[in-house]
Amino acid sequence: MKFSPWKFKETLVMDFLIETRYKAHRHLLFLIFFFFLLYSARFWHPYSGVYQYYVLFFVYAILITMVYINIYILVPRFFFKTQYVTYLVVLLFMGVIGLNIIGYGFKSVFAGFRIGNMYRENEKGGIYEGILMCIPIILTTTTVKLLQKWISDNKRINELSNLTLNMELNELRNQINPHFLFNMLNNVKALIRTDPDKASVVIVKLSEFLRYQLYENSEEKTLLTSEIDFLSNFLNLEKIRRENFGFDIQTDADKRIINGIFIPPNLFTTFVENAVKHSVDISGKESYVRIWIKIEDRQLIFTCVNSRNPDYSVSDKKNSGLGLVNIKRRLELLYNNDFELNITSGNKEYSVILKIAV
């Protein structure tokens, strides 16, 4: 997998903003940045000696208190609940109170430590400077809080979606596989009674199926060629079991292209299984299953056509539609809307055409 420095930096920034383990680092960085921002202002210069720093820390404490009230009380209580007008009113009210407390401190507590008329000359400028300093800080912290919530919510939604998707896919896969195996064992049971030699051959072939299910089906993707071999083995088993049954699998694409394509395992199995099951002809006429696999315009086109006897109905009514319903849902989960499935049922033929992006 190709390493992306930009993606790594983006992930690191997001983690720094929302992860609990970075909480202390976030606050420390903000407090230091905010302190140096105030340190560069002029409001504490007109005071003598150590009182300059008393004034600086006094204003710093008031503004930091306002910032944290905004972050942990006003934004969650009003902004996150879409009470925007109330939020703005309360925010302005808090700002007025904070600036009045600062003004009171300048005029009453620290008035005796001013150097001459320096404070009076810079009083308006200091007040405006304080207001202009408060606005961007409040807006910035509100934006950061919103960004944190957005990233956290999206991360939680993505994790939940992935968890739900994986659980549903695994459930569907676990339903499709036993359904397929159930039909295969029914075939073996019928052969044991009629032709034990053929039944032994089928059992050997069935072991190959189980090997495929064990080693290939557990993977997220498998080679298209492996899936074709699996279908070919399955149809060969059916040909051993049934007389007057034929099948054909054709791949029109270049072998080098076919060998480089990966698909979810058992993507076509249910369609072929249904085709075999519905191709039985009780009159003894030849039945068939024909499969075409093509690659056109970056699409894989799977076509499965089987002969059909309208007088024959599958006896397993309870489970006959289970695999098809599950495979449709599986396609929706795997490909979203990027697939096309057409099923046509005629008097003599039943066809399935599936198109997926590759």
Side-chain angles (χ1 to χ4, degrees):
M1 184 170 61
K2 188 177 180 182
F3 175 74
S4 173
W6 171 253
K7 186 68 176 177
F8 173 76
K9 291 178 181 178
E10 183 182 5
T11 304
L12 186 62
V13 170
M14 288 185 177
D15 286 345
F16 184 79
L17 286 174
I18 65 172
E19 291 292 336
T20 305
R21 66 180 184 270
Y22 295 120
K23 186 174 182 179
H25 300 82
R26 288 196 300 267
H27 287 286
L28 182 62
L29 182 64
F30 171 71
L31 292 173
I32 293 173
F33 168 77
F34 189 60
F35 177 79
F36 281 105
L37 187 65
L38 287 182
Y39 187 84
S40 64
R42 299 172 299 158
F43 67 88
W44 58 285
H45 292 170
Y47 296 89
S48 61
V50 71
Y51 294 101
Q52 285 185 328
Y53 299 101
Y54 290 163
V55 171
L56 176 61
F57 281 106
F58 169 72
V59 175
Y60 179 75
I62 298 298
L63 293 183
I64 280 293
T65 301
M66 292 170 58
V67 167
Y68 276 92
I69 289 174
N70 176 59
I71 292 175
Y72 289 104
I73 299 178
L74 301 187
V75 173
R77 176 65 182 83
F78 301 110
F79 202 95
F80 286 169
K81 296 182 180 180
T82 67
Q83 299 177 15
Y84 304 125
V85 175
T86 305
Y87 169 74
L88 288 175
V89 170
V90 176
L91 183 64
L92 289 173
F93 182 70
M94 181 184 70
V96 170
I97 291 177
L99 290 177
N100 275 289
I101 292 174
I102 292 173
Y104 176 81
F106 284 167
K107 292 178 181 179
S108 301
V109 180
F110 302 107
F113 307 105
R114 291 196 303 264
I115 301 175
N117 294 321
M118 287 183 65
Y119 175 76
R120 298 182 186 281
E121 294 172 359
N122 293 291
E123 184 173 2
K124 284 188 177 181
I127 293 174
Y128 289 138
E129 189 177 45
I131 294 172
L132 292 175
M133 192 175 296
C134 283
I135 292 173
I137 290 170
I138 294 292
L139 292 177
T140 300
T141 52
T142 301
T143 303
V144 170
K145 193 68 177 176
L146 291 174
L147 183 61
Q148 285 179 328
K149 181 174 174 57
W150 180 80
I151 293 173
S152 180
D153 288 349
N154 274 274
K155 188 174 181 180
R156 187 169 64 252
I157 290 170
N158 288 334
E159 288 175 355
L160 181 61
S161 298
N162 290 334
L163 179 62
T164 304
L165 176 65
N166 289 332
M167 288 177 63
E168 189 166 358
L169 281 173
N170 288 333
E171 183 180 354
L172 291 174
R173 183 183 294 174
N174 290 335
Q175 288 177 353
I176 290 171
N177 294 342
H179 183 255
F180 171 77
L181 186 59
F182 171 78
N183 289 327
M184 289 298 301
L185 290 175
N186 273 342
N187 293 343
V188 173
K189 181 180 71 174
L191 278 176
I192 289 174
R193 294 174 181 174
T194 58
D195 194 335
D197 292 335
K198 283 186 178 180
S200 64
V201 174
V202 171
I203 290 173
V204 172
K205 290 288 185 182
L206 186 57
S207 68
E208 297 180 8
F209 280 102
L210 294 177
R211 182 197 61 79
Y212 178 85
Q213 297 287 343
L214 180 63
Y215 295 107
E216 298 285 346
N217 191 57
S218 60
E219 300 295 329
E220 184 179 351
K221 295 282 187 177
T222 187
L223 280 168
L224 176 59
T225 52
S226 297
E227 189 80 1
I228 293 172
D229 291 340
F230 178 75
L231 297 178
S232 179
N233 288 334
F234 171 54
L235 292 171
N236 269 309
L237 279 174
E238 187 66 17
K239 191 172 183 178
I240 293 172
R241 189 181 72 88
R242 274 168 50 187
E243 295 181 359
N244 300 321
F245 175 76
F247 73 92
D248 185 28
I249 300 179
Q250 294 184 10
T251 55
D252 295 342
D254 191 305
K255 286 187 177 181
R256 290 176 297 178
I257 298 176
I258 292 288
N259 290 336
I261 293 177
F262 288 83
I263 62 170
N266 283 326
L267 191 63
F268 307 134
T269 303
T270 302
F271 298 125
V272 177
E273 180 191 2
N274 285 336
V276 166
K277 189 164 53 180
H278 290 88
S279 66
V280 176
D281 195 320
I282 57 176
S283 65
K285 294 180 180 178
E286 185 177 358
S287 57
Y288 59 84
V289 172
R290 293 169 184 156
I291 297 171
W292 293 270
I293 295 176
K294 298 189 294 184
I295 309 294
E296 290 182 359
D297 299 327
R298 303 185 69 178
Q299 274 194 326
L300 188 154
I301 304 172
F302 168 83
T303 304
C304 181
V305 177
N306 64 272
S307 58
R308 183 183 181 193
N309 187 334
D311 298 326
Y312 174 76
S313 59
V314 179
S315 59
D316 186 13
K317 292 181 180 179
K318 182 179 178 181
N319 295 315
S320 61
L322 175 64
L324 194 57
V325 170
N326 284 343
I327 196 64
K328 285 180 179 178
R329 180 56 182 156
R330 190 179 178 208
L331 285 168
E332 290 173 358
L333 292 174
L334 288 170
Y335 295 100
N336 197 9
N337 294 320
D338 199 14
F339 78 95
E340 183 180 339
L341 177 62
N342 295 311
I343 299 176
T344 305
S345 180
N347 289 329
K348 294 185 178 180
E349 282 189 339
Y350 186 91
S351 67
V352 173
I353 301 175
L354 173 64
K355 299 179 180 178
I356 58 174
V358 293

